Amino acid sequence: MKVLANDGISAGGKKTLEEAGFEVITIKVAQEQLANYLRENKIDAIVVRSATKVRKDLINACPDLKVIGRAGVGMDNIDVKYAREKGLYVFNTPSASSSSVAELVFAHLFGAVRFLHAANRNMPLEGDSRFKELKKNYSGGRELRGKTIGIIGFGRIGREVAKIALGIGMKVIASDREEGEAEITLEFYNHQEIKIPIKTEPVEDLIKHSDFITIHVPAQDEPVLGRDEIQNMKNGVGLINTSRGGLIDEVALVEALDSGKVAFAALDTFKNEPSPAIKILMNGKISLSPHIGAATGEAQDRIGVELADEIINALK
Ligand code: 3PG
């Protein structure tokens, strides 16, 4: 049986599949050649990350394909319902990358409140000639301790974000389908545990109460945070999007950064990936990363092994 890991697979995942007798192909086939490649090579399972699209036309063109594995969380690049109707087994690895994404949120957040994104851009250019000015520009930072983080979407990743926030003394409010209270279990290295109740409230309330807002929901047709929502936020709020491009309206965001309503944004995902808007890339108040939330060795190892186990269960 043959598996094409078109966007790669960890060494552990590949090894597990090979030990179970699968041939694992890790070359990158261009999107437009994929249907031919899958058909001609009689590929049984395709594994993708977010780069490769598995749409209806591809599914229709490849009668031998039995399994579509998403090495990650978001399945917006796959026509899941259609594939399942056609009898394919389609799955993702929803939990394996939660910690990595949550840590990236805080990598951005810790950096942004101290202007590290801007300092890292300007120190190489002017650090030797304008040191004192740069020091002045990047003073006036803020601490996270004691501030309120609003988490929109309180699933696996949102909850991991909450754990880190609680650990550093932040107040956490969350917004999810259900309102009320959600319980977070903080687990420590020595196996001690603490359970902490988190208040959940509607997005329209959360945005008014938060110093920093991070979004953890799947791709949507419309922004979750547009011009109106931004107007209702605290002045000087910081916004983080490591989920999917467009969940924050990028035009409204740039306006709000220019006016000072939003102090900074941190974006790992963009509306027009893989070609984000130049206005976003060039904005000095945005901390940027190229969709690397799940891209740690640890997350990819967990994803690879989970994928391998699922494919073996499905096909053997
Ligand atoms: C996901 O949905 O799992 C993340 O956005 C990561 O996407 P990637 O696998 O393309 O890095």
Side-chain angles (χ1 to χ4, degrees):
M1 295 241 189
K2 290 185 186 174
V3 179
L4 172 68
N6 207 44
D7 299 322
I9 185 167
S10 71
K14 186 168 185 271
K15 187 162 168 267
T16 308
L17 281 166
E18 285 171 346
E19 282 171 359
F22 286 84
E23 183 185 339
V24 184
I25 304 159
T26 54
I27 57 166
K28 171 90 182 172
V29 182
Q31 188 72 44
E32 57 279 10
Q33 287 154 16
L34 201 50
N36 270 344
Y37 186 91
L38 295 177
R39 209 174 31 235
E40 280 169 16
N41 292 281
K42 296 198 177 319
I43 300 291
D44 300 283
I46 183 167
V47 170
V48 299
R49 289 178 62 178
S50 58
T52 301
K53 316 283 172 231
V54 187
R55 298 288 175 214
K56 284 181 187 166
D57 50 346
L58 184 71
I59 295 163
N60 287 336
C62 304
D64 291 312
L65 195 62
K66 298 168 197 71
V67 173
I68 304 169
R70 165 61 166 110
V73 184
M75 296 174 92
D76 40 311
N77 54 325
I78 302 170
D79 281 336
V80 177
K81 192 164 169 278
Y82 184 77
R84 286 184 178 150
E85 279 164 10
K86 292 283 239 174
L88 276 82
Y89 178 56
V90 189
F91 70 95
N92 64 349
T93 55
S95 346
S97 53
S98 306
S99 298
S100 291
V101 179
E103 288 190 13
L104 184 70
V105 169
F106 279 90
H108 276 293
L109 196 44
F110 273 118
V113 288
R114 305 303 293 270
F115 310 103
L116 296 189
H117 54 297
N120 275 317
R121 283 170 172 166
N122 290 322
M123 283 293 281
L125 303 174
E126 302 180 311
D128 58 347
S129 56
R130 297 182 62 241
F131 192 94
K132 285 185 180 164
E133 290 95 320
L134 294 184
K135 177 169 170 141
K136 197 165 162 227
N137 290 349
Y138 305 139
S139 296
R142 284 186 279 175
E143 292 182 354
L144 296 182
R145 179 171 297 276
K147 304 296 187 311
T148 300
I149 187 164
I151 304 173
I152 300 178
F154 213 42
R156 294 177 182 86
I157 299 173
R159 283 162 194 253
E160 286 303 319
V161 171
K163 289 180 192 175
I164 301 176
L166 291 166
I168 58 171
M170 298 185 83
K171 178 179 173 189
V172 175
I173 50 178
S175 179
D176 206 20
R177 278 181 223 106
E178 283 159 33
E179 279 170 44
E181 232 175 51
E183 193 173 73
I184 289 290
T185 305
L186 281 185
E187 292 135 4
F188 296 91
Y189 73 97
N190 58 1
H191 308 298
Q192 267 187 283
E193 279 186 6
I194 303 179
K195 292 192 189 308
I196 299 184
I198 301 293
K199 189 169 167 258
T200 63
E201 56 185 36
V203 173
E204 53 270 33
D205 295 332
L206 175 146
I207 57 178
K208 292 181 192 155
H209 304 148
S210 303
D211 298 301
F212 310 106
I213 299 171
T214 181
I215 309 185
H216 300 287
V217 299
Q220 315 278 321
D221 293 335
E222 296 297 324
V224 174
L225 300 179
R227 197 166 276 118
D228 292 346
E229 287 76 22
I230 291 174
Q231 270 326 306
N232 287 329
M233 292 173 189
K234 286 188 177 182
N235 292 333
V237 65
L239 304 180
I240 302 119
N241 182 10
T242 57
S243 295
R244 276 297 175 271
L247 292 175
I248 303 175
D249 180 328
E250 291 184 354
V251 175
L253 175 64
V254 170
E255 282 170 16
L257 288 165
D258 289 347
S259 73
K261 173 77 191 179
V262 173
F264 68 82
L267 301 181
D268 184 54
T269 53
F270 304 87
K271 180 110 179 105
N272 292 317
E273 283 180 39
S275 309
I278 294 295
K279 272 197 151 185
I280 292 286
L281 298 179
M282 298 302 288
N283 193 305
K285 291 183 178 175
I286 306 182
S287 177
L288 297 157
S289 55
H291 202 150
I292 53 166
T296 61
E298 292 88 341
Q300 292 303 317
D301 280 347
R302 287 190 293 267
I303 288 171
V305 172
E306 200 176 318
L307 275 173
D309 290 343
E310 284 281 343
I311 292 172
I312 293 166
N313 280 340
L315 291 178
K316 286 242 152 163

